[in-house]
mmCIF file of all heavy atoms in Angstrom:
data_model
loop_
_atom_site.group_PDB
_atom_site.id
_atom_site.type_symbol
_atom_site.label_atom_id
_atom_site.label_comp_id
_atom_site.label_asym_id
_atom_site.label_seq_id
_atom_site.Cartn_x
_atom_site.Cartn_y
_atom_site.Cartn_z
ATOM 1 N N PRO A 1 79.639 -53.032 -73.207
ATOM 2 C CA PRO A 1 80.092 -53.573 -74.433
ATOM 3 C C PRO A 1 78.963 -54.201 -75.255
ATOM 4 O O PRO A 1 78.160 -54.761 -74.750
ATOM 5 C CB PRO A 1 81.172 -54.623 -74.167
ATOM 6 C CG PRO A 1 81.203 -54.679 -72.616
ATOM 7 C CD PRO A 1 80.307 -53.781 -72.095
ATOM 8 N N THR A 2 79.021 -53.931 -76.588
ATOM 9 C CA THR A 2 78.048 -54.537 -77.491
ATOM 10 C C THR A 2 78.360 -55.987 -77.766
ATOM 11 O O THR A 2 79.464 -56.514 -77.451
ATOM 12 C CB THR A 2 77.986 -53.642 -78.831
ATOM 13 O OG1 THR A 2 79.389 -53.933 -79.418
ATOM 14 C CG2 THR A 2 77.864 -52.172 -78.578
ATOM 15 N N ALA A 3 77.486 -56.727 -78.368
ATOM 16 C CA ALA A 3 77.757 -58.058 -78.646
ATOM 17 C C ALA A 3 78.907 -58.282 -79.569
ATOM 18 O O ALA A 3 79.772 -59.073 -79.289
ATOM 19 C CB ALA A 3 76.506 -58.723 -79.322
ATOM 20 N N PRO A 4 79.141 -57.457 -80.638
ATOM 21 C CA PRO A 4 80.332 -57.512 -81.497
ATOM 22 C C PRO A 4 81.653 -57.275 -80.650
ATOM 23 O O PRO A 4 82.707 -57.886 -80.817
ATOM 24 C CB PRO A 4 80.082 -56.520 -82.639
ATOM 25 C CG PRO A 4 78.680 -56.345 -82.656
ATOM 26 C CD PRO A 4 78.147 -56.557 -81.263
ATOM 27 N N GLU A 5 81.607 -56.290 -79.729
ATOM 28 C CA GLU A 5 82.733 -55.955 -78.925
ATOM 29 C C GLU A 5 83.107 -57.200 -78.113
ATOM 30 O O GLU A 5 84.200 -57.509 -77.896
ATOM 31 C CB GLU A 5 82.469 -54.676 -78.040
ATOM 32 C CG GLU A 5 82.464 -53.475 -78.864
ATOM 33 C CD GLU A 5 81.966 -52.233 -78.072
ATOM 34 O OE1 GLU A 5 81.687 -52.365 -76.891
ATOM 35 O OE2 GLU A 5 81.881 -51.192 -78.697
ATOM 36 N N ARG A 6 82.096 -57.815 -77.568
ATOM 37 C CA ARG A 6 82.350 -59.047 -76.630
ATOM 38 C C ARG A 6 83.052 -60.082 -77.399
ATOM 39 O O ARG A 6 83.932 -60.821 -77.036
ATOM 40 C CB ARG A 6 81.035 -59.500 -75.968
ATOM 41 C CG ARG A 6 80.575 -58.541 -74.917
ATOM 42 C CD ARG A 6 79.400 -59.080 -74.029
ATOM 43 N NE ARG A 6 78.289 -59.482 -74.823
ATOM 44 C CZ ARG A 6 77.255 -58.803 -75.071
ATOM 45 N NH1 ARG A 6 77.242 -57.542 -74.665
ATOM 46 N NH2 ARG A 6 76.233 -59.266 -75.731
ATOM 47 N N LEU A 7 82.605 -60.237 -78.723
ATOM 48 C CA LEU A 7 83.049 -61.252 -79.552
ATOM 49 C C LEU A 7 84.505 -60.938 -79.960
ATOM 50 O O LEU A 7 85.372 -61.838 -79.920
ATOM 51 C CB LEU A 7 82.175 -61.337 -80.758
ATOM 52 C CG LEU A 7 82.474 -62.546 -81.827
ATOM 53 C CD1 LEU A 7 82.368 -63.934 -81.101
ATOM 54 C CD2 LEU A 7 81.341 -62.547 -82.991
ATOM 55 N N PHE A 8 84.703 -59.756 -80.190
ATOM 56 C CA PHE A 8 86.171 -59.347 -80.579
ATOM 57 C C PHE A 8 87.015 -59.437 -79.370
ATOM 58 O O PHE A 8 88.199 -59.870 -79.401
ATOM 59 C CB PHE A 8 86.183 -57.842 -81.087
ATOM 60 C CG PHE A 8 87.543 -57.576 -81.726
ATOM 61 C CD1 PHE A 8 87.908 -58.023 -82.947
ATOM 62 C CD2 PHE A 8 88.448 -56.690 -81.025
ATOM 63 C CE1 PHE A 8 89.193 -57.778 -83.547
ATOM 64 C CE2 PHE A 8 89.729 -56.501 -81.578
ATOM 65 C CZ PHE A 8 89.949 -56.952 -82.685
ATOM 66 N N LYS A 9 86.496 -59.243 -78.055
ATOM 67 C CA LYS A 9 87.340 -59.437 -76.947
ATOM 68 C C LYS A 9 87.751 -60.848 -76.867
ATOM 69 O O LYS A 9 88.862 -61.155 -76.458
ATOM 70 C CB LYS A 9 86.564 -59.016 -75.663
ATOM 71 C CG LYS A 9 87.291 -59.124 -74.375
ATOM 72 C CD LYS A 9 86.495 -58.732 -73.211
ATOM 73 C CE LYS A 9 87.239 -58.940 -71.932
ATOM 74 N NZ LYS A 9 86.402 -58.721 -70.747
ATOM 75 N N SER A 10 86.820 -61.742 -77.154
ATOM 76 C CA SER A 10 87.073 -63.115 -77.112
ATOM 77 C C SER A 10 88.209 -63.548 -78.123
ATOM 78 O O SER A 10 89.089 -64.246 -77.849
ATOM 79 C CB SER A 10 85.872 -63.943 -77.443
ATOM 80 O OG SER A 10 84.907 -63.874 -76.409
ATOM 81 N N LEU A 11 88.214 -62.891 -79.315
ATOM 82 C CA LEU A 11 89.150 -63.097 -80.343
ATOM 83 C C LEU A 11 90.557 -62.692 -79.718
ATOM 84 O O LEU A 11 91.568 -63.403 -79.946
ATOM 85 C CB LEU A 11 88.845 -62.358 -81.540
ATOM 86 C CG LEU A 11 89.716 -62.513 -82.781
ATOM 87 C CD1 LEU A 11 88.905 -62.271 -84.001
ATOM 88 C CD2 LEU A 11 90.795 -61.413 -82.779
ATOM 89 N N LEU A 12 90.661 -61.475 -79.202
ATOM 90 C CA LEU A 12 91.850 -61.129 -78.604
ATOM 91 C C LEU A 12 92.453 -61.940 -77.516
ATOM 92 O O LEU A 12 93.555 -62.192 -77.414
ATOM 93 C CB LEU A 12 91.787 -59.534 -78.020
ATOM 94 C CG LEU A 12 91.575 -58.451 -79.134
ATOM 95 C CD1 LEU A 12 91.282 -57.213 -78.473
ATOM 96 C CD2 LEU A 12 92.726 -58.512 -80.062
ATOM 97 N N GLU A 13 91.457 -62.461 -76.723
ATOM 98 C CA GLU A 13 91.902 -63.401 -75.621
ATOM 99 C C GLU A 13 92.394 -64.727 -76.192
ATOM 100 O O GLU A 13 93.386 -65.236 -75.713
ATOM 101 C CB GLU A 13 90.748 -63.610 -74.671
ATOM 102 C CG GLU A 13 90.323 -62.388 -73.810
ATOM 103 C CD GLU A 13 89.068 -62.472 -73.007
ATOM 104 O OE1 GLU A 13 88.216 -63.302 -73.395
ATOM 105 O OE2 GLU A 13 88.930 -61.633 -72.157
ATOM 106 N N GLU A 14 91.712 -65.136 -77.287
ATOM 107 C CA GLU A 14 92.207 -66.379 -77.915
ATOM 108 C C GLU A 14 93.652 -66.178 -78.515
ATOM 109 O O GLU A 14 94.449 -67.127 -78.485
ATOM 110 C CB GLU A 14 91.323 -66.793 -79.068
ATOM 111 C CG GLU A 14 89.965 -67.416 -78.644
ATOM 112 C CD GLU A 14 89.138 -67.754 -79.688
ATOM 113 O OE1 GLU A 14 89.544 -68.335 -80.784
ATOM 114 O OE2 GLU A 14 87.852 -67.505 -79.639
ATOM 115 N N LEU A 15 93.910 -64.967 -78.968
ATOM 116 C CA LEU A 15 95.247 -64.636 -79.567
ATOM 117 C C LEU A 15 96.312 -64.398 -78.418
ATOM 118 O O LEU A 15 97.378 -64.014 -78.690
ATOM 119 C CB LEU A 15 95.148 -63.576 -80.422
ATOM 120 C CG LEU A 15 94.470 -63.816 -81.745
ATOM 121 C CD1 LEU A 15 94.158 -62.578 -82.587
ATOM 122 C CD2 LEU A 15 95.148 -64.792 -82.602
ATOM 123 N N ASP A 16 95.738 -64.333 -77.206
ATOM 124 C CA ASP A 16 96.523 -64.027 -75.977
ATOM 125 C C ASP A 16 97.278 -62.647 -76.065
ATOM 126 O O ASP A 16 98.466 -62.439 -75.752
ATOM 127 C CB ASP A 16 97.624 -65.110 -75.841
ATOM 128 C CG ASP A 16 98.239 -65.179 -74.412
ATOM 129 O OD1 ASP A 16 97.498 -64.692 -73.459
ATOM 130 O OD2 ASP A 16 99.394 -65.521 -74.240
ATOM 131 N N MET A 17 96.465 -61.721 -76.643
ATOM 132 C CA MET A 17 96.890 -60.399 -76.714
ATOM 133 C C MET A 17 96.557 -59.554 -75.461
ATOM 134 O O MET A 17 95.544 -59.647 -74.938
ATOM 135 C CB MET A 17 96.217 -59.705 -77.974
ATOM 136 C CG MET A 17 96.614 -60.238 -79.250
ATOM 137 S SD MET A 17 98.416 -60.138 -79.625
ATOM 138 C CE MET A 17 98.815 -58.548 -79.436
ATOM 139 N N LYS A 18 97.641 -58.752 -75.069
ATOM 140 C CA LYS A 18 97.356 -57.780 -73.999
ATOM 141 C C LYS A 18 96.628 -56.574 -74.633
ATOM 142 O O LYS A 18 97.012 -56.041 -75.585
ATOM 143 C CB LYS A 18 98.621 -57.360 -73.380
ATOM 144 C CG LYS A 18 99.351 -58.483 -72.693
ATOM 145 C CD LYS A 18 100.670 -58.069 -71.984
ATOM 146 C CE LYS A 18 101.161 -59.330 -71.326
ATOM 147 N NZ LYS A 18 102.526 -59.097 -70.941
ATOM 148 N N PHE A 19 95.506 -56.268 -73.952
ATOM 149 C CA PHE A 19 94.750 -55.105 -74.491
ATOM 150 C C PHE A 19 93.988 -54.330 -73.426
ATOM 151 O O PHE A 19 93.928 -54.831 -72.217
ATOM 152 C CB PHE A 19 93.693 -55.581 -75.525
ATOM 153 C CG PHE A 19 92.682 -56.583 -74.926
ATOM 154 C CD1 PHE A 19 91.455 -56.078 -74.464
ATOM 155 C CD2 PHE A 19 92.884 -57.831 -74.908
ATOM 156 C CE1 PHE A 19 90.559 -56.976 -73.935
ATOM 157 C CE2 PHE A 19 92.060 -58.827 -74.315
ATOM 158 C CZ PHE A 19 90.754 -58.377 -73.858
ATOM 159 N N GLU A 20 93.501 -53.141 -73.715
ATOM 160 C CA GLU A 20 92.721 -52.296 -72.813
ATOM 161 C C GLU A 20 91.368 -52.168 -73.508
ATOM 162 O O GLU A 20 91.443 -52.007 -74.719
ATOM 163 C CB GLU A 20 93.448 -50.936 -72.598
ATOM 164 C CG GLU A 20 94.766 -51.094 -71.923
ATOM 165 C CD GLU A 20 95.413 -49.769 -71.833
ATOM 166 O OE1 GLU A 20 94.704 -48.670 -71.950
ATOM 167 O OE2 GLU A 20 96.699 -49.678 -71.625
ATOM 168 N N THR A 21 90.350 -52.016 -72.769
ATOM 169 C CA THR A 21 89.131 -51.617 -73.388
ATOM 170 C C THR A 21 88.774 -50.298 -72.870
ATOM 171 O O THR A 21 89.265 -49.700 -71.945
ATOM 172 C CB THR A 21 87.902 -52.558 -72.741
ATOM 173 O OG1 THR A 21 87.909 -52.539 -71.320
ATOM 174 C CG2 THR A 21 88.244 -53.999 -73.210
ATOM 175 N N GLN A 22 87.958 -49.599 -73.723
ATOM 176 C CA GLN A 22 87.425 -48.209 -73.440
ATOM 177 C C GLN A 22 88.549 -47.223 -73.233
ATOM 178 O O GLN A 22 88.605 -46.473 -72.344
ATOM 179 C CB GLN A 22 86.441 -48.231 -72.373
ATOM 180 C CG GLN A 22 85.232 -49.080 -72.633
ATOM 181 C CD GLN A 22 84.132 -48.911 -71.614
ATOM 182 O OE1 GLN A 22 84.317 -48.310 -70.502
ATOM 183 N NE2 GLN A 22 83.044 -49.402 -71.926
ATOM 184 N N LYS A 23 89.536 -47.168 -74.289
ATOM 185 C CA LYS A 23 90.593 -46.205 -74.123
ATOM 186 C C LYS A 23 90.112 -44.759 -74.481
ATOM 187 O O LYS A 23 89.297 -44.636 -75.466
ATOM 188 C CB LYS A 23 91.651 -46.616 -75.237
ATOM 189 C CG LYS A 23 92.715 -45.775 -75.390
ATOM 190 C CD LYS A 23 93.781 -45.919 -74.380
ATOM 191 C CE LYS A 23 95.079 -45.012 -74.764
ATOM 192 N NZ LYS A 23 95.921 -44.995 -73.609
ATOM 193 N N ILE A 24 90.360 -43.852 -73.565
ATOM 194 C CA ILE A 24 89.865 -42.485 -73.812
ATOM 195 C C ILE A 24 91.005 -41.683 -74.513
ATOM 196 O O ILE A 24 92.053 -41.668 -73.901
ATOM 197 C CB ILE A 24 89.425 -41.899 -72.506
ATOM 198 C CG1 ILE A 24 88.226 -42.673 -72.007
ATOM 199 C CG2 ILE A 24 89.014 -40.390 -72.719
ATOM 200 C CD1 ILE A 24 87.725 -42.113 -70.675
ATOM 201 N N VAL A 25 90.664 -41.021 -75.578
ATOM 202 C CA VAL A 25 91.633 -40.184 -76.240
ATOM 203 C C VAL A 25 90.824 -38.931 -76.646
ATOM 204 O O VAL A 25 89.796 -39.024 -77.315
ATOM 205 C CB VAL A 25 92.259 -40.753 -77.548
ATOM 206 C CG1 VAL A 25 93.206 -39.823 -78.139
ATOM 207 C CG2 VAL A 25 92.910 -42.064 -77.215
#
């Protein structure tokens, strides 16, 4: 993950959102 991706992950965690990383489509 890039620095901006790590920062956005923190944002999602603060919002208590369930998420997946690196979704392949």
Side-chain angles (χ1 to χ4, degrees):
T2 64
E5 288 169 1
R6 289 191 303 270
L7 190 55
F8 191 76
K9 180 180 178 185
S10 295
L11 183 148
L12 292 175
E13 289 169 344
E14 285 179 45
L15 292 172
D16 200 27
M17 292 302 305
K18 292 181 180 166
F19 63 91
E20 299 173 18
T21 58
Q22 299 189 349
K23 173 83 170 169
I24 297 177
V25 180

